């Protein structure tokens, strides 16, 4: 029987374990940005990936269209019924938008937490190993995407930008089990209740909205949106609906289980939300203070 | 197979894995089980056995590093495990006859080793809190079934291609 580990082999194994630990330690910490070799590799593979994923998306899209054709009749009926409501809604929205604008002018408040510019992007890759829920999209720094920006689909928030390279970026989905992935959110009821989205229940496929006040009255099916208080995400991006509320382990807070509106699996097109309003410059604040003095 | 075509051939399987999870969501199979394609590892192991040990381990290291950088953003895990498994498989193949069925089954063992290794490392790094029992039932068994089907489909063409490749290497 040949020897599995000779002396030389053993040394190679030990050295590679040391390198392994060093590399993991280097890459797992919170990083501001990727090193340039990583960015280069990501851009190159991103280009190859989009060359592959575009045609496959067309083919998959075709089959989806065929499947959609089967229930066109019923869908059409339902949509027609909704159309009547839509006219009323449109009128309401217009009057409200106008009123909002006028009130803002009265208040002289130009900053709006809910204003944002969406950047359209196509998903070109997804992490196949499923431990880290990551997506690769075909827009990067050159398109104005920065770390920690919110990423949405038509149905709601799906995650945030984890890292960027010049032409591609990586998105971390909300379903990833990452304790640093916290998003300030609110539940819209008669009064607004604020909390943070922390973690994901893998078995029930629900998001956990923690740190809600213990006396807040939260009901099922209330809508959860981002609150804009974190300063990174804009306000009022839809997240999902409340399914269940439980008191947390010490009874000081409540935790709500939220069913995400967006599907975390079948994602083709996403929008990266770039916030219009920035945090005020430090120079502005200091100069104002000086004026007061 | 032409020598220069080999990197492109392996790269194709590298991208196929990501395309697979993009297109075939778990709902499509009507279950919440996690099915992970390990097509790249299967191809690398076949390359190690039929195309040449050195080539196999080298490609395993390069594509492991690529996998880490592009897909997981934690560098080191696949960079370390891919070549290690390729090495063990090549050593095992010296002990037993490298019949196609035996090689296919050995690559299944390779996939089990990889899944276990990645699970343990991720558990240590607190990327996952999945219990071992759930890991086995929800992830390992379905993954094995998928990859077994894939291996059965591609084993014969792969062997033929890599045999040709090995012959080309010898002729040089």
């Amino acid at each position: 029987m040949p020897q599995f580990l000779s002396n030389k082999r053993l040394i190679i194994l030990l050295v590679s374990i040391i390198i392994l630990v060093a590399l993991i330690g280097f890459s797992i910490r919170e990083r501001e940005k990727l090193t340039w070799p990583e960015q280069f590799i990501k851009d190159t593979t991103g280009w190859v990936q989009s060359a592959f994923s575009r045609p496959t998306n067309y083919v998959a899209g075709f089959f989806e269209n065929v499947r959609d054709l089967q229930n066109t009749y019923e869908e059409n009926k339902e949509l027609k019924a909704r159309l009547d409501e839509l006219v009323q809604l449109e009128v309401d929205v217009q009057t409200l938008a106008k009123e909002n604008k006028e009130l803002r002018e009265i208040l002289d408040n130009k900053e709006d937490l809910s204003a944002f510019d969406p950047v359209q992007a196509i998903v070109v890759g997804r992490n196949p190993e499923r431990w880290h829920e990551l997506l690769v999209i075909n827009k990067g720094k050159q398109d104005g995407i920065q770390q920690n920006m919110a990423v949405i689909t038509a149905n709601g928030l799906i995650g945030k930008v984890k890292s960027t390279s010049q032409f591609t970026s990586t998105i971390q989905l909300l379903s990833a089990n990452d304790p640093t992935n916290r998003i300030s959110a609110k539940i819209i009821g008669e009064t607004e209740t604020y909390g943070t989205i922390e973690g994901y229940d893998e078995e029930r496929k629900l998001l956990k909205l923690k740190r809600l006040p213990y006396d807040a009255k939260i009901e099922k099916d209330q809508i959860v949106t981002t609150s804009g208080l974190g300063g990174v995400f804009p306000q009022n991006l839809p997240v999902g609906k409340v399914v269940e509320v439980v008191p947390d382990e010490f009874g000081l807070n409540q935790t709500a289980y939220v069913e995400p509106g967006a599907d975390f699996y079948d994602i083709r097109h996403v929008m990266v939300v770039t916030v219009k309003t920035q945090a005020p410059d430090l120079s502005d604040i200091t100069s104002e203070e000086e004026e007061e003095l | 197979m032409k020598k220069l075509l080999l990197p492109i051939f392996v790269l194709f399987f590298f991208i196929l894995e990501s395309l697979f999870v993009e297109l075939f969501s778990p709902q499509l199979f009507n279950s919440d089980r996690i099915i992970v394609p390990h097509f790249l590892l299967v191809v690398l192991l076949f390359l190690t056995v039929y195309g040449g040990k050195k080539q196999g381990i080298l490609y395993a290291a390069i594509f492991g590093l690529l996998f880490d950088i592009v897909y997981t953003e934690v560098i080191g895990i696949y960079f370390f495990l891919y070549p290690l498994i390729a090495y063990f498989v090549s050593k095992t193949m010296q002990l037993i006859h490298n019949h196609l069925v035996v090689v296919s089954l050995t690559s299944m063992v390779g996939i089990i080793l990889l899944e276990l290794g990645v699970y343990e490392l991720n558990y240590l790094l607190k990327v996952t809190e999945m219990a071992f029992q759930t890991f086995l039932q929800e992830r390992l068994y379905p993954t094995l079934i998928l990859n077994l089907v894939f291996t059965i489909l591609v084993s014969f063409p792969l062997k033929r291609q890599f045999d040709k490749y090995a012959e080309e290497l010898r002729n040089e």
Side-chain angles (χ1 to χ4, degrees):
Chain A
M1 179 181 164
Q3 210 181 344
F4 254 77
L5 289 169
S6 64
N7 271 347
K8 194 181 137 205
R9 301 270 149 78
L10 197 66
I11 290 167
I12 292 176
L13 185 70
L14 288 177
V15 170
S16 44
I17 286 176
I18 292 167
I19 294 173
L20 167 80
V21 172
L23 276 174
I24 289 177
F26 167 73
S27 55
I28 206 163
R29 72 199 154 96
E30 288 276 298
R31 286 196 287 175
E32 288 281 301
K33 58 175 190 181
L34 299 173
T35 54
W36 71 263
E38 279 174 278
Q39 289 193 21
F40 176 74
I41 289 172
K42 285 205 155 208
D43 284 337
T44 323
T45 47
W47 184 79
V48 179
Q49 277 175 326
S50 57
F52 272 95
S53 74
R54 266 177 212 225
T56 44
N57 272 345
Y58 277 125
V59 175
F62 174 75
F63 282 110
E64 239 162 58
N65 287 345
V66 171
R67 219 179 303 151
D68 283 348
L69 267 180
Q70 289 173 340
N71 39 24
T72 315
Y73 178 73
E74 275 151 37
E75 244 173 48
N76 194 12
K77 249 193 203 163
E78 200 178 311
L79 287 175
K80 265 185 185 156
R82 284 220 200 141
L83 214 59
D84 298 334
E85 296 166 27
L86 196 69
V87 180
Q88 182 59 42
L89 252 168
E90 216 168 282
V91 174
D92 283 352
V93 168
Q94 266 178 10
T95 36
L96 283 174
K98 206 177 155 205
E99 211 177 280
N100 195 325
K101 203 180 151 200
E102 282 169 2
L103 287 171
R104 264 177 202 287
E105 271 166 20
I106 294 168
L107 282 171
D108 201 21
N109 180 0
K110 288 192 193 84
E111 292 215 343
D112 184 2
L113 282 175
S114 53
F116 63 82
D117 281 326
V119 177
Q120 303 276 346
I122 299 172
V123 177
V124 295
R126 189 187 175 110
N127 178 10
E129 56 133 37
R130 296 263 172 89
W131 289 117
H132 311 254
E133 294 279 13
L134 301 176
L135 294 178
V136 184
I137 58 168
N138 68 343
K139 294 277 164 75
K141 274 185 208 164
Q142 296 290 327
D143 306 281
I145 291 172
Q146 286 162 14
Q147 214 174 13
N148 287 330
M149 280 178 170
V151 183
I152 57 174
T153 63
N155 298 322
L157 187 74
I158 57 164
K160 63 166 187 180
V161 176
K162 186 167 185 258
S163 62
T164 54
S165 57
Q166 295 300 324
F167 303 105
T168 60
S169 354
T170 308
I171 295 164
Q172 184 176 41
L173 295 180
L174 288 178
S175 52
N177 191 0
D178 182 356
T180 60
N181 200 2
R182 283 181 194 172
I183 292 153
S184 171
K186 65 183 175 192
I187 298 176
I188 298 175
E190 277 171 33
T191 54
E192 290 177 344
T193 320
Y194 292 88
T196 51
I197 294 175
E198 295 172 27
Y200 182 72
D201 191 325
E202 275 175 49
E203 276 165 30
R204 300 175 64 189
K205 313 275 173 220
L206 298 174
L207 294 167
K208 283 185 247 178
L209 178 56
K210 290 186 178 173
R211 290 163 212 276
L212 295 162
Y214 71 98
D215 54 351
K217 286 198 182 73
I218 300 156
E219 282 159 37
K220 210 184 148 190
D221 282 341
Q222 282 183 332
I223 292 170
V224 179
T225 66
T226 56
S227 70
L229 293 179
V232 189
F233 287 11
Q235 203 176 16
N236 292 337
L237 299 174
V239 178
K241 275 182 184 170
V242 176
V243 175
E244 192 194 351
V245 186
V246 290
D248 80 347
E249 44 191 321
F250 305 114
L252 298 171
N253 291 311
Q254 295 186 84
T255 298
Y257 284 91
V258 178
E259 188 186 4
D263 182 0
F264 289 141
Y265 285 103
D266 210 7
I267 308 167
R268 303 262 156 76
H269 299 269
V270 296
M271 278 177 278
V272 182
V273 174
T274 55
V275 187
K276 268 181 183 167
T277 50
Q278 295 293 323
D281 278 337
L282 205 63
S283 56
D284 289 352
I285 299 168
T286 45
S287 62
E288 267 171 39
E289 273 173 12
E290 278 164 9
E291 276 167 19
E292 276 172 26
L293 287 170
Chain B
M1 180 188 299
K2 290 268 167 9
K3 223 181 136 186
L4 286 173
L5 272 178
L6 188 66
I8 298 168
F9 184 73
V10 183
L11 187 70
F12 170 73
F13 285 95
F14 177 75
I15 287 165
L16 187 69
E17 281 192 357
S18 128
L19 279 181
F20 184 88
V21 281
E22 233 181 292
L23 292 178
F24 298 95
S25 54
Q27 284 100 322
L28 217 63
F29 302 109
N30 260 332
S31 76
D32 292 335
R33 296 200 174 84
I34 303 166
I35 303 172
V36 187
H38 283 300
F39 307 154
L40 182 63
L41 183 72
V42 173
V43 172
L44 288 171
L45 292 182
F46 269 75
L47 176 67
T48 320
V49 176
Y50 291 112
K53 183 182 148 191
K54 249 189 193 161
Q55 301 286 323
I57 293 174
L58 182 71
Y59 271 85
I62 292 170
F63 277 93
L65 182 63
L66 211 61
F67 194 100
D68 280 334
I69 291 175
V70 175
Y71 291 137
T72 69
E73 300 213 333
V74 178
I75 304 164
I77 296 181
Y78 284 84
F79 183 38
F80 176 71
L81 286 174
Y82 270 180
L84 191 73
I85 290 165
Y87 175 75
F88 277 127
V89 166
S90 78
K91 276 284 169 199
T92 325
M93 277 305 127
Q94 287 173 3
L95 300 175
I96 37 180
H97 180 62
N98 62 354
H99 186 263
L100 200 59
V101 177
V102 181
V103 178
S104 302
L105 289 178
T106 320
S107 14
M108 288 303 108
V109 177
I111 287 170
I112 296 175
L113 285 178
L114 179 76
E115 277 288 316
L116 281 175
V118 175
Y119 168 72
E120 288 301 336
L121 278 170
N122 278 331
Y123 199 79
L124 270 178
L125 295 171
K126 298 227 160 53
V127 172
T128 180
E129 284 162 6
M130 199 185 267
F132 189 70
Q133 202 60 38
T134 4
F135 162 73
L136 284 183
Q137 279 163 6
E138 299 265 289
R139 200 181 149 105
L140 190 64
Y141 300 145
T143 301
L144 273 182
I145 293 168
L146 169 76
N147 287 292
L148 189 65
V149 171
F150 172 80
T151 316
I152 290 168
L153 287 176
V154 298
S155 60
F156 189 66
L158 270 185
K159 176 182 174 340
R160 224 172 40 183
Q161 292 297 327
F162 288 145
D163 274 343
K164 273 188 208 164
Y165 173 75
E167 206 156 299
E168 217 170 288
L169 277 183
R170 270 196 298 276
N171 287 342
E172 269 177 14

